[in-house]
Amino acid sequence: MQINIITIFPDLFDRVLDFGMIQQARKKDLMQVEIVDLRDFTEDKRRTVDDRPYGGGDGMVLKPEPIFLAVESLKEKAGEPQHVVLLTPQGKLFNQSLANRLSLRKNLTLICGRYEGVDQRVTDHLVDEEVSIGDFVLSGGEYAALVVVDAVSRLIPGVVAKGASVLQESFMDGLLDYPHYTRPPDFRGWQVPEVLLSGDHAEIERWRERQALELTRERRPDLLKPGKNAKDRD
Ligand code: ADE
């Protein structure tokens, strides 16, 4: 999978792609990430990427020309259409289902917006979908793009260790995770639940299902509404 990230802060990505699942995916050549400096697609001496909003108001708006040129150059280089995603608080909410869907694509071009705004013609005529990582406003789309890359990288076949298929269907899909424990069995007097030490795999499975269900009921009852699985819908 080829992922392109268009940003005005290319240096921000310097080390962050060299760790964990993203590093694994890149090392195994299952995912390539190219960081594209939006300023490389400006045509003036000052490398201007933004301008004042028509109609007045605070802040600056990202200009359309450099963004169109950047995406068009990526399309040309790849020799095929790109799936173009704009990271913005106005987008559809990112969730596991959307991560699964994006992970099946051959390429993804992520445009990092700025919080003041991006010229609407980018959304209307260049972008396939707008995505938000949550109901809060970041100063830009860079961290949101990293969230998307991380979530997608672990879904690419071959990235996660063999046998641990992350796309695998199970009872617990769409629920919060059950609690995990490791050694020691007694830490400062706090015991690991007896059942996990029992070796009874069927009983352990039932315990985990119960825990996942109870935790979800308590913290995220919205996930349990029929046909309203917020975690899995996109
Ligand atoms: N840019 C600013 N805030 C954002 C958010 N919540 N999600 C995606 N991109 C953003």
Side-chain angles (χ1 to χ4, degrees):
M1 182 181 208
Q2 171 72 38
I3 299 184
N4 308 302
I5 303 177
I6 300 174
T7 173
I8 58 167
F9 297 129
D11 295 349
L12 186 143
F13 295 87
D14 267 359
R15 297 287 322 276
V16 81
L17 300 167
D18 294 338
F19 298 91
M21 218 60 95
I22 299 178
Q23 181 203 38
Q24 288 302 310
R26 295 175 74 209
K27 252 193 187 158
K28 294 180 184 169
D29 221 17
L30 297 167
M31 181 175 88
Q32 292 83 41
V33 185
E34 184 175 351
I35 307 300
V36 177
D37 185 349
L38 186 61
R39 292 188 198 280
D40 289 347
F41 295 89
T42 55
E43 281 162 352
D44 62 318
K45 229 167 86 190
R46 297 183 55 226
R47 309 199 341 133
T48 310
V49 289
D50 55 7
D51 207 336
R52 284 169 300 156
Y54 275 121
D58 289 337
M60 301 288 269
V61 175
L62 284 182
K63 291 161 66 62
E65 304 96 313
I67 301 179
F68 271 79
L69 288 175
V71 170
E72 282 157 5
S73 101
L74 289 166
K75 266 185 204 165
E76 202 171 307
K77 200 164 132 191
E80 58 188 9
Q82 301 288 301
H83 189 69
V84 182
V85 174
L86 173 66
L87 282 317
T88 152
Q90 282 76 48
K92 69 173 72 124
L93 269 188
F94 189 59
N95 62 10
Q96 193 58 46
S97 170
L98 183 47
N100 292 347
R101 181 158 69 69
L102 294 178
S103 78
L104 300 173
R105 294 204 166 263
K106 245 181 96 185
N107 63 60
L108 270 186
T109 289
L110 306 176
I111 303 170
C112 305
R114 301 308 302 159
Y115 76 100
E116 297 95 334
V118 177
D119 190 286
Q120 184 62 29
R121 288 163 290 190
V122 171
T123 301
D124 292 347
H125 306 293
L126 187 66
V127 161
D128 294 303
E129 51 190 332
E130 291 184 90
V131 171
S132 164
I133 62 158
D135 292 334
F136 42 80
V137 181
L138 302 166
S139 54
E142 280 75 12
Y143 297 106
L146 285 169
V147 166
V148 171
V149 174
D150 188 283
V152 164
S153 67
R154 59 183 288 280
L155 298 171
I156 297 173
V159 174
V160 168
K162 210 168 55 177
S165 169
V166 282
L167 275 174
Q168 183 182 295
E169 293 279 321
S170 85
F171 169 81
M172 282 170 280
D173 276 358
L175 298 183
L176 301 184
D177 203 2
Y178 54 79
H180 300 261
Y181 294 88
T182 185
R183 277 174 291 192
D186 177 331
F187 173 65
R188 299 186 176 177
W190 297 305
Q191 314 289 336
V192 171
E194 198 62 45
V195 58
L196 298 179
L197 311 174
S198 69
D200 182 341
H201 296 295
E203 192 52 43
I204 290 170
E205 191 59 20
R206 277 194 294 276
W207 180 84
R208 287 178 168 165
E209 286 178 7
R210 257 194 329 270
Q211 293 287 321
L213 204 51
E214 273 167 32
L215 197 65
T216 308
R217 216 173 260 140
E218 193 184 303
R219 294 193 189 164
R220 294 292 307 277
D222 57 302
L223 297 179
L224 295 171
K225 288 194 190 127
K228 286 218 173 245
N229 196 330
K231 208 168 155 217
D232 266 354
R233 217 181 20 197
D234 88 69

